[in-house]
Amino acid sequence: MSNQEVAILNVGGSKFTTWASTLRRFPESRLARMLNGNDHEFRLVNGQFFVDRDGTLFNYILDFLRTLQLSLPTDFSDYQRLQREADFYELHSLADLLSQENLLKPRPEILEVRFLLQETQAFFRVFGSCSNTIEVLAGRVTMFTEQSLRQNWNNNPFPSQKLLTPLPLERPSHHDLVFQCGTDYSAGDQLVARYVSIKPDHRKLINGTNVLGLLVDTLLREGFHLVSTRTVSTEEKVECYSFERMKRPETLFLTANQSPESPGSAQMKLTLMHTQK
């Protein structure tokens, strides 16, 4: 069978269709030998290669062959069974990766929201153990400003049209994010109003308690759980909300390096990348 042909497999009753080149990703594996007719345990029945193994776990095997990445559900726990399947197919690189179970298990990700309410203003500071999560959150939070003269604001505190200008968020480090909402007077006797929007919600909120509620709802939808609340400063009454979720390293992949002893061959080398920083 040539690499351009389509191969159909029946693994434990589950049907899989893929390119022959995908099954030959690792030339020394049993799947590659199956296509070459060199492994007689795999029978060709009605144009399909029948494999008497676990079809559910083969989903992960085939995905690995297609992408050279191992992507497992957060609640996955059958590491030993999947490693046994990798050993059966003689996919040694995948088996070696699965043997490092401690690196694959989900790890707790911590996120902390600090909230300070001062008269008509509210201040937020978000700390995260994973900088990527803070980066994503910064892309969803937008702060807007609206300036009005004191006299105009008093005459019409709720203008029908608001000309809002986006403001940059403060990023003291890769692991935290700072923004605020509410109203205060600036130099020149101007009333400055700051609104906050958090995607995918399109509302622009000025009330600090409402923004806090939207932020908490957003984090809960992203899989975080509220684990504790406390007051960290009795004088300023800074409220602290601590969240946690289990997060698996999202990128586990193999890279192909050319062997110096055999320039014409490619040797697969394990590379483990964590998205948590």
Side-chain angles (χ1 to χ4, degrees):
M1 178 178 289
S2 69
N3 286 341
Q4 287 72 34
E5 292 187 68
V6 172
I8 302 175
L9 293 85
N10 183 334
V11 184
S14 299
K15 182 179 176 181
F16 299 89
T17 304
T18 187
W19 294 109
S21 58
T22 300
L23 299 177
R24 287 195 175 103
R25 176 80 76 168
F26 294 87
E28 302 302 321
S29 72
R30 295 189 69 182
L31 291 170
R33 298 202 304 270
M34 171 191 74
L35 297 182
N36 299 332
N38 297 328
D39 194 319
H40 301 292
E41 186 171 343
F42 300 92
R43 297 181 180 180
L44 190 61
V45 180
N46 298 326
Q48 301 179 11
F49 291 99
F50 178 74
V51 186
D52 191 17
R53 303 296 293 188
D54 190 304
T56 300
L57 293 177
F58 190 75
N59 274 298
Y60 305 116
I61 299 284
L62 185 57
D63 183 66
F64 172 77
L65 292 174
R66 286 168 171 162
T67 64
L68 291 183
Q69 297 183 10
L70 180 60
S71 179
L72 300 173
T74 304
D75 58 351
F76 185 83
S77 59
D78 290 335
Y79 295 98
Q80 292 184 351
R81 291 183 60 214
L82 185 55
Q83 183 181 353
R84 187 167 64 238
E85 295 301 297
D87 285 329
F88 171 80
Y89 294 109
E90 297 184 11
L91 295 168
H92 303 301
S93 297
L94 178 58
D96 290 343
L97 176 59
L98 289 166
S99 67
Q100 304 181 54
E101 182 178 337
N102 61 314
L103 298 178
L104 300 173
K105 286 185 176 180
R107 300 180 179 186
E109 178 185 358
I110 309 299
L111 190 140
E112 183 179 275
V113 176
R114 294 195 176 189
F115 173 65
L116 171 61
L117 188 61
Q118 288 185 337
E119 298 181 352
T120 59
Q121 298 183 82
F123 301 88
F124 297 83
R125 187 162 192 168
V126 185
F127 302 86
S129 61
C130 177
S131 63
N132 284 356
T133 298
I134 298 298
E135 192 70 32
V136 171
L137 184 60
R140 298 176 64 174
V141 175
T142 306
M143 188 167 59
F144 300 90
T145 184
E146 176 192 23
Q147 293 187 349
S148 301
L149 294 176
R150 182 192 291 265
Q151 180 179 1
N152 292 340
W153 184 273
N154 290 336
N155 292 338
N156 186 10
F158 302 102
S160 58
Q161 292 184 344
K162 299 175 182 147
L163 299 178
L164 303 180
T165 304
L167 288 176
L169 304 178
E170 293 184 43
R171 295 294 306 276
S173 75
H174 293 296
H175 289 269
D176 56 353
L177 170 68
V178 176
F179 57 93
Q180 66 182 94
C181 65
T183 60
D184 70 315
Y185 283 99
S186 64
D189 208 28
Q190 281 190 324
L191 186 67
V192 179
R194 294 181 179 87
Y195 300 80
V196 169
S197 175
I198 305 177
K199 297 175 183 178
D201 195 295
H202 297 293
R203 291 175 297 168
K204 297 176 177 61
L205 305 177
I206 194 172
N207 181 278
T209 303
N210 292 341
V211 172
L212 177 63
L214 178 58
L215 179 59
V216 170
D217 287 343
T218 300
L219 296 176
L220 294 178
R221 285 196 299 269
E222 292 299 320
F224 282 97
H225 301 279
L226 181 63
V227 294
S228 69
T229 60
R230 66 186 191 277
T231 301
V232 296
S233 174
T234 55
E235 295 180 358
E236 294 184 329
K237 295 184 179 180
V238 177
E239 300 175 10
C240 179
Y241 300 82
S242 297
F243 298 83
E244 181 179 297
R245 71 176 175 183
M246 300 305 292
K247 187 174 180 65
R248 183 188 302 279
E250 295 177 2
T251 308
L252 297 165
F253 64 91
L254 297 175
T255 57
N257 293 335
Q258 200 171 57
S259 173
E261 293 82 7
S262 304
S265 65
Q267 181 180 13
M268 304 308 295
K269 178 182 179 182
L270 172 65
T271 303
L272 179 62
M273 298 291 292
H274 288 272
T275 57
Q276 291 174 303
K277 299 181 181 178

